[in-house]
Amino acid sequence: MDAFYASVELLRYPELRGLPVVIGGRSAPQPKTHENGSRRFARLKEYVGRGVITTSTYEARALGVFSGMGIMKAAKLAPDAILLPVDFDTYRRYSCLFKAAVAGIASQIEDRGIDEIYIDLADLPEDTLNLAQRIKQAVKDATGLSCSIGISPNKLLSKICSDLEKPDGLTILCEEDIPIRIWPLSVRKINGIGPKAGEKLAALGITTIEELARAEPAFLQKHFGRSYACWLHDASQGIDERKLITSSEPKSISRETTFERDLHALHDRTILSGIFTTLCSRLAEDLQQKGYLGRTIGIKLRFEDFRTVTRDITLPSPTADPALIRRSAGECLRRVTLDQKLRLLGVRASALSANAAQEEDDEPQGELPLLAQ
DNA sequence: TCTGGGGTCCTAGGACCC
DNA sequence: TCTGGGGTCCTAGGACCC
């Protein structure tokens, strides 16, 4: 989906179309509607506090404002850009709508988060270009939103080429196009090469995918280890054999929060304890609502200098009980030296299992409880 | 005036077992 | 004395992605 959150907001506030708009900020105010129906929007320069940009419109991106950027930094680049708060519930609704629209045409879908999917078109007899155009139209009809599609022999290349003609793009790429269309791109366009690997490659004189493709395998292996070097080499050649993953179970469920201001372990003890308990309750609710139990309970702390530590504990049996989660998380917390102020606290449940007591398609309750003993 | 929240996967060491 | 070779589970940290 193109600039997904921002595009959803533009459906709601069409008068913002064409303007630099950013979504984000934990305490961004809701727009105010006047009696005559006109609306008053917050500007980036008015924002105070902590927060990052979640999404920006293409007009805001043109000013250098991208997702992940701190709001204060963004406000310097685009002080008059409109700032809207995030509304995940609405984005999730639109996410379901677009995925359902695609599923009506192609059934082999891999979910890649709220605004992205892989689709396997290989088994569909219809001409690929037609198919892609139909999918784009179906998404548009269902949501009013545009998307960009990349069609290629595999997931790696499709991900890269879906980006080449954004927004509202449709890019078809075959193997022969790799040297012309893929090799000139930055290695950072490869899904899996992030900031760290990108910098390390740059330090070795490799910035484009072509340079990566021409690098000696032995050289890569020396610096990145055998398996990562092989993957880098394959990726640069456009080789990717991964299958679509059309269903999966969650591995962990978590809740975390960054505080308005850094909190002191002792001085702000009461506040922290309240937040901690709330996080544990929310996690328990999430587990119960999704029908899971967690056997490993963990915490995450981020200190004022951004150092992050985690601790976890595995219980004798899985749970979704808020009090037990709170107690276990509290035990984890006692294993951390709190010698700095905290900026983030999180709680996580992993080693998940289905909550059998809560299964919807309840099997006749007969022998199972006996067997469980 | 830096740096959200929700995830996945990988690595690596130690405990423990056969 | 010179100390195996597998395997699994648990814990911690880090890179990366949306």
Side-chain angles (χ1 to χ4, degrees), chain A residues 130-340:
Chain A
N130 275 343
L131 215 39
Q133 281 165 341
R134 275 178 58 212
I135 289 172
K136 281 169 67 80
Q137 191 58 49
V139 168
K140 183 94 186 176
D141 292 343
T143 63
L145 300 171
S146 74
C147 62
S148 295
I149 298 183
I151 297 177
S152 84
N154 61 47
K155 296 205 283 191
L156 174 83
L157 292 170
S158 288
K159 170 70 176 159
I160 294 175
C161 80
S162 69
D163 228 33
L164 291 179
E165 296 171 39
K166 260 185 180 296
D168 205 12
L170 202 184
T171 307
I172 298 184
L173 185 124
C174 54
E175 217 171 306
E176 302 82 74
D177 302 326
I178 292 173
I180 297 294
R181 304 208 61 186
I182 300 298
W183 279 6
L185 303 174
S186 161
V187 291
R188 291 295 316 279
K189 295 287 178 189
I190 294 173
N191 199 249
I193 299 184
K196 298 287 178 180
E199 258 191 55
K200 192 167 166 186
L201 284 165
L204 296 170
I206 296 172
T207 54
T208 67
I209 300 177
E210 175 164 13
E211 286 162 348
L212 185 57
R214 296 192 189 285
E216 286 295 334
F219 175 79
L220 290 178
Q221 219 175 106
K222 196 174 90 183
H223 290 96
F224 294 94
R226 218 179 106 98
S227 89
Y228 194 64
C230 280
W231 177 80
L232 282 173
H233 182 262
D234 283 355
S236 73
Q237 312 288 331
I239 298 169
D240 175 21
E241 315 253 284
R242 289 171 302 163
K243 298 270 177 269
L244 247 65
I245 297 165
T246 52
S247 77
S248 65
E249 292 287 323
K251 301 276 195 292
S252 68
I253 296 175
S254 67
R255 283 274 182 166
E256 66 183 54
T257 187
T258 298
F259 315 132
E260 236 13 279
R261 60 175 178 90
D262 296 343
L263 297 177
H264 191 278
L266 296 175
H267 190 252
D268 299 310
R269 195 193 168 83
T270 319
I271 305 174
L272 271 171
S273 169
I275 294 171
F276 198 31
T277 304
T278 304
L279 285 169
C280 291
S281 306
R282 295 238 168 93
L283 178 59
E285 282 168 26
D286 291 347
L287 285 165
Q288 283 164 24
Q289 187 233 319
K290 294 174 179 165
Y292 287 99
L293 302 172
R295 199 162 81 86
T296 301
I297 302 298
I299 60 163
K300 170 168 148 183
L301 304 181
R302 181 122 74 206
F303 295 102
E304 51 189 342
D305 67 353
F306 226 68
R307 185 169 56 98
T308 305
V309 303
T310 61
R311 294 290 180 271
D312 58 48
I313 185 168
T314 299
L315 306 172
S317 58
T319 186
D321 173 52
L324 180 52
I325 291 173
R326 178 64 176 80
R327 224 179 310 133
S328 311
E331 277 182 42
C332 292
L333 189 58
R334 264 179 265 132
R335 309 210 308 259
V336 184
T337 313
L338 299 170
D339 50 0
Q340 267 185 64

Side-chain angles (χ1 to χ4, degrees), chain A residues 334-362:
Chain A
R334 264 179 265 132
R335 309 210 308 259
V336 184
T337 313
L338 299 170
D339 50 0
Q340 267 185 64
K341 283 193 179 178
L342 293 166
R343 64 174 287 136
L344 173 148
L345 189 54
V347 189
R348 189 184 64 252
S350 54
L352 301 180
S353 54
N355 187 349
Q358 219 180 299
E359 293 282 302
E360 271 184 49
D361 52 341
D362 268 348

